[in-house]
Amino acid sequence: MNESIAIPEILNKVASAGHEGLPLPENPALTGELELCRSWGYALRFECGRAFLLPDPDSVVPALIEQETPLLAWDKICVRGFLEVGSTNEIALELARAGAAGGTVVCAERQTAGRGRKGRSWSSNPGAGIYCTIVVRPRQEPDHWPLLAHAASVAVAEALREVVGECAVANPPVPDLKWPNDVFLSGKKTAGILIETAVTRGTSPCAVVGIGINVREGSVPAELRDIATCVDRESGSKAPRRRILCSCLHRFQLCYGLFEDGEHGELLERWKGLSSMWNGVPIWVEDGGPRRAVVTCGLTELGALRVRDENGKEDTLLAADVTIRRA
Ligand code: BTN
């Protein structure tokens, strides 16, 4: 089990106190917690016996995420913030098994064991990206849950379009969705989604929706530079992480609402509208055996990818790795 370091509650209190500031606590343990937060980059200032958090749309502060995220799918969102965790998905699964409500969100500055699809790892350097996981308790039957990945990737793409559009130089890059659930900027992977499920005794079955977004340069490992990128590099600006995260949580609720209402066609139309590769695009498929050359030809009603080989034989991909085939 990986040790985790929670964001101290005192940071939420200072953030909620706004420009009034919070009287500096006399308890040395609490001042130590504030110093810890400062050492992780939170813009805390101590003046005239009070603690202030300087306004900074980049800072991932649970109380501010809760305040700034419009509510649609849930009565409230409850953000559990960490400076460091093994994996936000792991924490969210633990909380879900213990009965956490849908709309519980786990976010972290750093993951020491961030995980990706198919047992891969997800590099998660401190302050460099958005690492968050949402607990959901769908009414929809589990065989529809693959669509949660489509809901999350639409949310990430729309959030990036919104926030990058606000802060980028001319011609901001347009997010492009690559099946099954990657978000690309300028032809390179920028964000990924990992859905995991938890069976709980006594409560409804649930899933956790993990979202990783490369924001700062430090989020992309050197060995992946050819195939992965980050928001800052592609937008030519410093994109504020909390703005992206709140927009993402807002938009996820919209897509989750479509999912829960059974509006799956509408959800997939939104996904298709953000993807250049779901129809008529030559791709390589890797799903265990030798890689195969096929052409995409649509999505099924559960969001699986339809492909056709050179003999005209059609196939449905549920969970493969695909890459665009270039001439
Ligand atoms: C992929 O593209 O392979 C999926 C990557 C998902 C990464 C995110 S980061 C937050 C959450 N916690 C994890 O351990 N993984 C997901």
Side-chain angles (χ1 to χ4, degrees), residues 86-90 111 113-117 120 122 124 130-133 181-182 189 191-194 210-213:
S87 153
T88 55
N89 269 31
E90 190 56 52
Q111 298 184 114
R115 46 204 204 204
R117 289 176 60 239
R120 299 183 189 114
W122 184 263
S124 314
I130 292 170
Y131 315 116
C132 101
T133 304
N181 42 29
D182 292 344
K189 179 160 172 168
I193 313 292
L194 178 65
I211 298 174
I213 309 177

Side-chain angles (χ1 to χ4, degrees), residues 277-294:
M277 63 85 66
W278 62 276
N279 197 16
V281 172
I283 58 168
W284 293 111
V285 176
E286 284 172 75
D287 52 5
R291 72 175 188 176
R292 296 180 284 141
V294 293

Side-chain angles (χ1 to χ4, degrees), residues 19 29 34 103 108 155 161 165 281 293 310 327:
H19 57 264
L34 288 175
R161 195 174 53 187
V281 172
E310 59 184 6

Side-chain angles (χ1 to χ4, degrees), residues 67-105:
Q67 281 166 31
E68 293 168 12
T69 303
L71 293 173
L72 295 167
W74 305 294
D75 295 338
K76 63 172 191 160
I77 62 165
C78 171
V79 180
R80 309 282 289 259
F82 291 83
L83 298 170
E84 186 170 297
V85 289
S87 153
T88 55
N89 269 31
E90 190 56 52
I91 301 273
L93 284 167
E94 278 169 25
L95 292 171
R97 287 187 196 109
T104 302
V105 176

Side-chain angles (χ1 to χ4, degrees), residues 40-298:
W40 277 80
Y42 288 91
L44 285 160
R45 183 163 292 168
F46 307 134
E47 269 172 20
C48 310
R50 300 182 89 81
F52 302 85
L53 183 67
L54 303 186
D56 176 7
D58 189 60
S59 69
V60 178
V61 180
L64 298 181
I65 298 167
E66 288 171 3
Q67 281 166 31
E68 293 168 12
T69 303
L71 293 173
L72 295 167
W74 305 294
D75 295 338
K76 63 172 191 160
I77 62 165
C78 171
V79 180
R80 309 282 289 259
F82 291 83
L83 298 170
E84 186 170 297
V85 289
S87 153
T88 55
N89 269 31
E90 190 56 52
I91 301 273
L93 284 167
E94 278 169 25
L95 292 171
R97 287 187 196 109
T104 302
V105 176
V106 179
C107 61
E109 288 285 350
R110 173 180 190 225
Q111 298 184 114
T112 53
R115 46 204 204 204
R117 289 176 60 239
K118 302 197 162 192
R120 299 183 189 114
S121 61
W122 184 263
S123 169
S124 314
N125 288 328
I130 292 170
Y131 315 116
C132 101
T133 304
I134 309 165
V135 176
V136 290
R137 294 192 177 277
R139 291 188 306 269
Q140 290 284 321
E141 290 300 316
D143 54 349
H144 290 122
W145 291 8
L147 289 167
L148 288 169
H150 298 75
S153 46
V154 167
V156 172
E158 289 183 349
L160 290 182
R161 195 174 53 187
E162 177 185 352
V163 180
V164 168
E166 279 168 11
C167 62
V169 288
N171 301 324
V174 179
D176 190 10
L177 294 180
K178 181 172 134 313
W179 188 91
N181 42 29
D182 292 344
V183 184
F184 273 45
L185 286 177
S186 312
K188 292 183 179 179
K189 179 160 172 168
T190 312
I193 313 292
L194 178 65
I195 312 285
E196 296 183 88
T197 55
V199 180
T200 49
R201 210 184 300 170
T203 55
S204 53
C206 64
V208 301
V209 180
I211 298 174
I213 309 177
N214 300 333
V215 183
R216 306 268 168 270
E217 285 289 343
S219 59
V220 186
E223 66 276 15
L224 296 182
R225 292 263 154 92
D226 288 347
I227 54 169
T229 189
C230 63
V231 180
D232 282 5
R233 190 182 313 160
E234 303 309 326
S235 66
S237 65
K238 191 164 181 268
R241 288 178 307 153
R242 195 176 73 247
R243 270 285 295 129
I244 298 173
L245 178 53
C246 292
S247 173
C248 197
L249 292 172
H250 176 207
R251 289 163 183 281
F252 177 73
Q253 291 176 78
L254 278 165
C255 295
Y256 185 65
L258 291 176
F259 167 75
E260 281 290 71
D261 292 345
E263 305 274 356
H264 300 165
E266 167 68 20
L267 176 57
L268 288 173
E269 284 307 311
R270 288 175 87 139
W271 192 94
K272 289 179 194 168
L274 289 158
S275 173
S276 63
M277 63 85 66
W278 62 276
N279 197 16
V281 172
I283 58 168
W284 293 111
V285 176
E286 284 172 75
D287 52 5
R291 72 175 188 176
R292 296 180 284 141
V294 293
V295 176
T296 60
C297 56

